[in-house]
């Protein structure tokens, strides 16, 4: 009942709401070396919610599994030009970007299965940790000089590992968004990620900050979820968004239709929660 009332209030509050664009392009990497915590769902649904709020948004898929590309309805079979060509062959990102078919102002640089080889091929390359950073910088510069609309948000979806693809994503971003699944003792796994982020900051990207933590798969009926949420908020009071993403069948169904939950079922609690999270992200100061 409470959840229903909250959805109703949210729907009225968020209906047709447009967000304020950030002063400059915000680049966020969605990272957590654990698989299945909601990285991809968060990337695509936040991106869609931001785009529906009037923002111009690019999703960069650097997970060889290509789940973000799938969820955005983007063609990413083996022959499609993808982030593999960008990272390994220095193809300009503008040449691989595709528009999301059912949401305006949302684009995706897809991942294909080729990307699984990039992790190894990158090892031998010069400035191997900086490939993605350079590609994004060139894309933004190219758009500016050609008079294309500025991108407001770039969201990077990572594989569940701390290999070179994730390192590239962490070097390319200014902000890290960590999704935390409210179903495990989640803080333990965070230590390793935070230690790696510290290393990247010390050696490769001094500007990097963990700006945002999002609690996902929250099931209000379980005591564990409430406990995990409380622990995370105690440790990261400034970073953790007020909005939590509920466990919702709609969120897990949407990708098999090549859709985000925002187009698959726009009034579902999952879609509303991602819109609320997007609004919160857009109103917090960019770091
Ligand atoms: P990751 O990218 O971290 O591996 P995913 O976003 O792919 O995680 O999520 C893992 C699985 O959980 C997927 O099957 C996804 O559909 C499902 N899932 C993600 N978020 C939710 C949610 N809020 N409610 C229910 N299922 C979810
Ligand atoms: Mg994923």
């Amino acid at each position: 009942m409470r959840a229903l009332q909250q959805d109703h209030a949210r729907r009225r509050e968020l209906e047709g709401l447009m967000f304020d664009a950030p002063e400059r392009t915000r680049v966020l990497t969605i990272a957590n070396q654990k698989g299945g915590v909601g990285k991809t769902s968060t990337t695509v649904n936040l991106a869609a919610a931001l785009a529906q709020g009037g923002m111009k948004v690019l999703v960069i898929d650097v997970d060889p599994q290509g789940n973000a590309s799938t969820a955005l309805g983007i063609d990413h079979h083996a022959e499609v030009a993808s982030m593999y060509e960008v990272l390994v062959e220095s193809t300009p990102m503008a040449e691989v970007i595709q528009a999301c078919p059912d949401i305006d102002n949302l684009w995706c640089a897809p991942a294909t299965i080729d990307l699984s080889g990039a992790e190894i091929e990158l090892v031998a390359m010069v400035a191997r940790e900086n490939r993605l950073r350079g590609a994004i910088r060139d894309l933004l510069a190219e758009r500016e000089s050609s008079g294309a609309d500025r991108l407001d948000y770039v969201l990077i979806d990572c594989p569940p590992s701390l290999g070179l693809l994730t390192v590239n994503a962490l070097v390319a971003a200014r902000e890290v968004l960590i999704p935390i699944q409210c179903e495990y003792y989640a803080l333990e796994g965070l230590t390793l990620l935070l230690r790696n982020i510290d290393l990247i900051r010390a050696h490769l990207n001094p500007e990097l900050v963990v700006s945002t933590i999002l609690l996902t798969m929250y099931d209000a009926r379980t005591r564990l979820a409430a406990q995990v949420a409380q622990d995370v908020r105690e440790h990261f009071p400034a970073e953790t968004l007020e909005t939590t993403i509920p466990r919702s069948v709609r969120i897990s169904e949407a990708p098999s239709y090549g859709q985000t939950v925002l187009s698959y079922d726009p009034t579902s609690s999952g879609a509303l929660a991602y819109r609320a999270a997007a609004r919160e992200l857009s109103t917090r100061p960019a770091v």
Side-chain angles (χ1 to χ4, degrees), residues 39-40 63 67 157-158:
K39 285 183 291 298
T40 301
D63 182 350
N67 295 334
D157 189 31
C158 288

Side-chain angles (χ1 to χ4, degrees), residues 62-167:
V62 294
D63 182 350
Q65 293 183 68
N67 295 334
S69 312
T70 302
L72 292 171
I74 302 289
D75 185 11
H76 65 113
H77 68 268
E79 273 84 63
V80 169
S82 73
M83 285 309 297
Y84 172 82
E85 281 78 3
V86 173
L87 293 172
V88 176
E89 296 170 359
S90 304
T91 299
M93 197 148 39
E95 290 177 23
V96 313
I97 288 174
Q98 300 180 46
C100 174
D102 51 25
I103 298 177
D104 287 341
N105 295 327
L106 178 56
W107 296 271
C108 175
T112 60
I113 193 67
D114 288 347
L115 203 55
S116 54
E119 192 90 61
I120 295 150
E121 286 175 70
L122 282 170
V123 172
M125 299 184 82
V126 180
R128 60 192 181 182
E129 296 95 352
N130 292 296
R131 310 281 304 172
L132 183 56
R133 185 187 184 94
I136 294 175
R137 186 196 50 217
D138 293 349
L139 173 75
L140 299 181
E142 192 259 345
R143 286 180 69 100
E144 194 176 345
S145 65
S146 71
D149 285 330
R150 194 200 62 176
L151 293 169
D152 298 307
Y153 288 87
V154 175
L155 304 188
I156 308 171
D157 189 31
C158 288
S161 72
L162 291 167
L164 262 178
L165 289 167
T166 297
V167 169

Side-chain angles (χ1 to χ4, degrees), residues 144-269:
E144 194 176 345
S145 65
S146 71
D149 285 330
R150 194 200 62 176
L151 293 169
D152 298 307
Y153 288 87
V154 175
L155 304 188
I156 308 171
D157 189 31
C158 288
S161 72
L162 291 167
L164 262 178
L165 289 167
T166 297
V167 169
N168 263 271
L170 291 170
V171 172
R174 198 179 175 98
E175 302 178 53
V176 188
L177 185 160
I178 305 178
I180 293 182
Q181 185 184 3
C182 294
E183 292 183 354
Y184 282 95
Y185 196 73
L187 283 171
E188 268 166 25
L190 262 192
T191 315
L192 180 63
L193 177 61
L194 294 175
R195 208 184 299 142
N196 275 272
I197 291 171
D198 285 342
L199 282 172
I200 304 259
R201 193 184 300 114
H203 299 287
L204 295 162
N205 182 8
E207 292 184 327
L208 189 66
V209 284
V210 175
S211 68
T212 313
I213 291 178
L214 179 61
L215 297 163
T216 66
M217 302 185 211
Y218 186 82
D219 183 345
R221 292 164 306 182
T222 71
R223 198 177 291 172
L224 177 61
Q227 187 62 51
V228 171
Q230 190 189 332
D231 285 356
V232 172
R233 289 188 193 286
E234 262 167 33
H235 277 82
F236 304 98
E239 293 85 354
T240 312
L241 295 186
E242 301 255 326
T243 310
T244 54
I245 307 301
R247 177 159 271 288
S248 139
V249 185
R250 296 312 216 189
I251 291 177
S252 57
E253 284 171 351
S256 28
Y257 298 88
Q259 288 185 326
T260 69
V261 75
L262 282 102
S263 33
Y264 177 64
D265 190 351
T267 60
S268 62
S269 58

